């Protein structure tokens, strides 16, 4: 999944550079608006690098975007989002769900955004930077793949006795296309924080592929 999204972002970058032709790839003139506020809504395909989670879990994200447009070709992009993540692990022999976790986060990205405008008026955006997230809630059902059930956990996702640490941070890369007020894009998030709190379990880093639509005011 992450390779697919990465190739799609690279393809979007290639399309944006070839579509500009006479237009500058780095336009230092003043942006039409200093600030841009928008609404975003999309679907997530969440997973992890942990071996006991070998399948994605579908979730949603929704929030408000806020961009500070320094010049036409460069902006600082942020916002505040609700993001649903999680994981699913299936037994290899039965395909039955062995483990499942659902988590929700309040997330703040801090992104550098390269903007390219084609002669047609279509705008291409490539975003890169860190994200910071605070866990709101969720639950985890963990059972080992060997079905011995010697270690079973049915816990809240966060809290004093939770399965995960509450704070997460990582890297975000994305590409989007805008026409008029409307925006559509794809992105990938690579968690850098080991979220696990259970001492005898392997490291758990969030992975999240996202498809987003939006409207800028």
């Amino acid at each position: 999944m992450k390779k697919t999204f990465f190739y799609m972002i690279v393809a979007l970058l290639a399309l944006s550079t070839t579509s500009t032709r006479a237009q500058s790839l780095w336009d230092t003139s003043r942006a039409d608006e200093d600030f841009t506020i928008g609404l975003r809504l999309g679907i997530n395909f969440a997973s992890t690098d942990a071996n006991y989670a070998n399948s994605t879990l579908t979730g949603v994200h929704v929030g408000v975007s806020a961009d500070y447009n320094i010049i036409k070709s460069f902006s600082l992009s942020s916002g505040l989002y609700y993001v649903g993540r999680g994981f699913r692990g299936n037994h290899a022999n039965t395909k039955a769900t062995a483990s499942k976790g659902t988590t929700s986060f309040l997330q703040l990205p801090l992104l550098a955004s390269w903007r390219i405008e084609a002669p047609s008026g279509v705008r291409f955006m490539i975003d890169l930077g860190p994200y910071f997230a605070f866990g709101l809630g969720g639950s985890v059902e963990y059972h080992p793949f060997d079905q011995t059930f010697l270690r079973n956990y049915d816990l809240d996702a966060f809290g004093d006795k939770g399965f995960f640490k509450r704070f997460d941070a990582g890297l975000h890369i994305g590409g989007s296309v805008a026409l008029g007020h409307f925006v559509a894009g794809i992105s990938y998030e690579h968690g850098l924080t080991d979220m696990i709190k259970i001492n005898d379990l392997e490291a758990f880093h969030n992975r999240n592929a996202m498809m987003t639509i939006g409207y800028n005011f």
Side-chain angles (χ1 to χ4, degrees), residues 14-202:
L15 177 63
S16 66
T17 56
T18 56
S19 298
T20 57
R21 295 183 181 178
Q23 297 292 102
S24 172
L25 296 179
W26 186 251
D27 189 344
T28 59
S29 59
R30 182 173 179 177
D32 296 333
E33 297 179 343
D34 292 335
F35 294 93
T36 305
I37 304 297
L39 298 177
R40 298 291 185 268
L41 173 67
I43 187 170
N44 307 334
F45 304 96
S47 60
T48 175
D49 59 348
N51 289 330
Y52 51 80
N54 56 2
S55 180
T56 59
L57 187 72
T58 304
V60 299
H61 62 274
V62 60
V64 177
S65 65
D67 299 339
Y68 173 48
N69 307 310
I70 299 175
I71 57 176
K72 281 192 173 182
S73 287
F74 185 77
S75 300
L76 297 178
S77 182
S78 187
L80 196 60
Y81 298 87
Y82 168 90
V83 180
R85 291 200 184 98
F87 71 92
R88 179 183 284 113
N90 299 327
H91 287 304
N93 54 345
T94 65
K95 302 300 182 181
T97 298
S99 304
K100 180 180 179 181
T102 57
T103 55
S104 59
F105 290 85
L106 188 64
Q107 184 161 307
L108 176 74
L110 296 174
L111 310 176
S113 183
W114 179 29
R115 312 291 177 95
I116 305 171
E117 185 168 351
S120 61
V122 176
R123 301 185 305 280
F124 299 90
M125 292 155 283
I126 302 296
D127 302 323
L128 177 65
Y131 73 84
F132 305 92
F134 177 83
L136 299 175
S139 62
V140 174
E141 299 178 8
Y142 169 77
H143 308 290
F145 281 138
D146 58 11
Q147 302 190 43
T148 59
F149 298 100
L150 296 178
R151 296 182 300 168
N152 297 326
Y153 299 103
D154 293 285
L155 301 173
D156 291 334
F158 307 110
D160 293 338
K161 298 182 180 180
F163 196 81
F164 295 122
K165 301 171 186 175
R166 194 174 288 275
F167 293 96
D168 185 26
L171 296 177
H172 174 109
I173 182 172
S176 55
V177 179
L179 181 60
H181 293 280
F182 297 95
V183 182
I186 56 174
S187 56
Y188 177 74
E189 293 175 343
H190 187 92
L192 299 177
T193 303
D194 181 5
M195 299 294 294
I196 205 71
K197 289 178 66 175
I198 308 297
N199 291 330
D200 58 347
L201 294 183
E202 64 181 289

